[in-house]
Amino acid sequence: MSTPSPAPEILAFGEAMTLFVADAPGDLDEIERFQRRIAGADTNVAIGLARLGFQVGWLSRVGDDAFGRYIRRTLETEGLDCRHLITDPAASTGLVFKERAEGGADPRVEYFRRSSAASRLSPSDAEAVDFAAARHLHATGIPPAVSASCRELSWHMLDRARQAGASISFDPNLRPSLWASESEMRDTLNAMAAKADWVLPGLAEGRRLTGLETPHDIASFYLERGAKAVIIKLGPEGSYYRGTLDGRETSFTVPGMAVSEVVDTVGAGDGFAVGAVSALLDGRAPREALERGNLIGALAVQVLGDMEGLPTRALLAELEASLPTPE
């Protein structure tokens, strides 16, 4: 009789979809061939942390179909603990099609996720989760946008992780088209961010959610509501940190890393989250966390696919060792 594996130290949840990436540039209605991958901001971060050696548990639903089996196999191959990945015979796995953009532009995507298996997630799906064993929860603003029951699950995960004493990172990952209104999106995600230790919005997302302009003021908004640190993604310009360090408030910007060619921008923010969150979990200083976030974000945009550029721990160590030492 095999011994059950220990409960995962990091929890993530959301919707993984089967992704079809166009083989060539052009409008999707003209493309004949696609490459199959997987997509989902939450899974991108989960996979990235697993590649760095963390024990990551994935909670979700997939359909009882070929695409669901493909997602499960891919996630397990990446090292994710899928004991809480439910196969739902009454709904299908979500699909997404992505164009091949040129010149560093953001590619257009088309989703087929309405009434998907993952949209049927609810708090009851988390009944068997061992929150006491969890060290950290990573959450995004996508599940609460997908359906009312997914939103209830998001609140449940945040509340249980907080009660158990786990740290929490929250990336708003705005999907405005999935929300009934701008105000509902703003109020819900700001309230969820207030449950987190580390809030990781992009600059445009922070402006949209808070109505404020500067990284300093956006960070103040979330710090006043309970966050311990706010890390704002500035795209190619780098990232901004504001939080408490050694009992004193500190803030700084870390410049981005130059990239010779941008192949695919999708997943850059998730790569940044992998870097920043993993470094903080490793006990690294905030500046080092932003440097690692910028590094992995830069790796993510240089390959085709949402998570293919995320490094292993060995590659990350090699890349970090080659970075110039700050003067």
Side-chain angles (χ1 to χ4, degrees):
M1 184 175 177
S2 61
T3 303
S5 57
E9 61 175 332
I10 295 177
L11 299 173
F13 65 100
E15 180 169 24
M17 293 170 286
T18 298
L19 166 68
F20 292 91
V21 186
D23 249 0
D27 293 336
L28 286 175
D29 62 339
E30 299 174 346
I31 300 299
E32 296 183 2
R33 293 181 177 84
F34 295 82
Q35 297 179 23
R36 187 180 64 169
R37 309 285 176 90
I38 71 167
D42 304 279
T43 42
N44 290 342
V45 176
I47 289 169
L49 292 173
R51 286 186 184 176
L52 295 179
F54 294 97
Q55 300 302 311
V56 183
W58 174 246
L59 189 155
S60 188
R61 283 178 176 251
V62 291
D64 187 11
D65 50 41
F67 298 125
R69 291 189 291 275
Y70 167 68
I71 286 173
R72 182 183 295 274
R73 184 174 68 248
T74 301
L75 295 180
E76 289 179 341
T77 299
E78 289 286 352
L80 269 65
D81 184 319
C82 291
R83 72 182 74 184
H84 302 302
L85 175 56
I86 299 162
T87 297
D88 186 339
S92 59
T93 304
L95 306 178
V96 56
F97 291 78
K98 181 170 69 173
E99 74 170 11
R100 181 78 66 88
E102 295 181 291
D106 291 336
R108 287 190 294 271
V109 295
E110 293 192 11
Y111 294 94
F112 296 85
R113 71 196 306 182
R114 189 181 301 276
S115 301
S116 67
S119 73
R120 293 155 56 89
L121 282 164
S122 70
S124 63
D125 294 323
E127 285 180 357
V129 174
D130 185 356
F131 286 94
R135 176 186 174 196
H136 184 77
L137 170 72
H138 180 73
T140 78
I142 298 176
V146 169
S147 69
S149 64
C150 278
R151 191 173 313 166
E152 292 174 10
L153 173 66
S154 296
W155 283 119
H156 178 79
M157 297 294 286
L158 290 165
D159 287 340
R160 289 296 306 277
R162 171 61 65 226
Q163 291 164 11
S167 56
I168 299 172
S169 50
F170 184 78
D171 187 334
N173 249 303
L174 298 188
R175 298 294 187 272
S177 64
L178 297 179
W179 289 91
S181 69
E182 184 85 9
S183 61
E184 184 181 51
M185 176 181 73
R186 182 182 63 244
D187 295 347
T188 302
L189 296 189
N190 284 339
M192 288 185 175
K195 299 271 187 181
D197 298 286
W198 312 322
V199 183
L200 293 86
L203 180 58
E205 291 177 326
R207 287 170 171 166
R208 190 163 184 170
L209 288 171
T210 68
L212 303 168
E213 278 296 310
T214 67
H216 178 276
D217 289 346
I218 293 167
S220 293
F221 180 92
Y222 292 112
L223 291 172
E224 289 167 2
R225 284 159 177 78
K228 294 180 180 176
V230 181
I231 301 171
I232 300 177
K233 293 166 281 189
L234 305 176
E237 284 70 46
S239 49
Y240 171 88
Y241 175 93
R242 188 173 174 203
T244 302
L245 184 63
D246 298 328
R248 296 181 300 170
E249 185 177 293
T250 184
S251 63
F252 53 83
T253 299
V254 175
M257 296 191 175
V259 172
S260 58
E261 181 185 9
V262 176
V263 175
D264 187 348
T265 60
V266 176
D270 304 328
F272 178 88
V274 169
V277 170
S278 68
L280 292 170
L281 291 174
D282 284 345
R284 305 286 282 271
R287 188 175 294 275
E288 294 175 291
L290 269 63
E291 289 170 350
R292 184 184 289 182
N294 290 348
L295 170 61
I296 299 183
L299 294 176
V301 302
Q302 296 181 69
V303 299
L304 186 67
D306 294 7
M307 55 79 177
E308 280 70 11
L310 301 175
T312 62
R313 177 68 75 166
L315 176 58
L316 176 63
E318 180 183 324
L319 292 170
E320 287 188 321
S322 68
L323 294 176
T325 304
E327 296 180 4

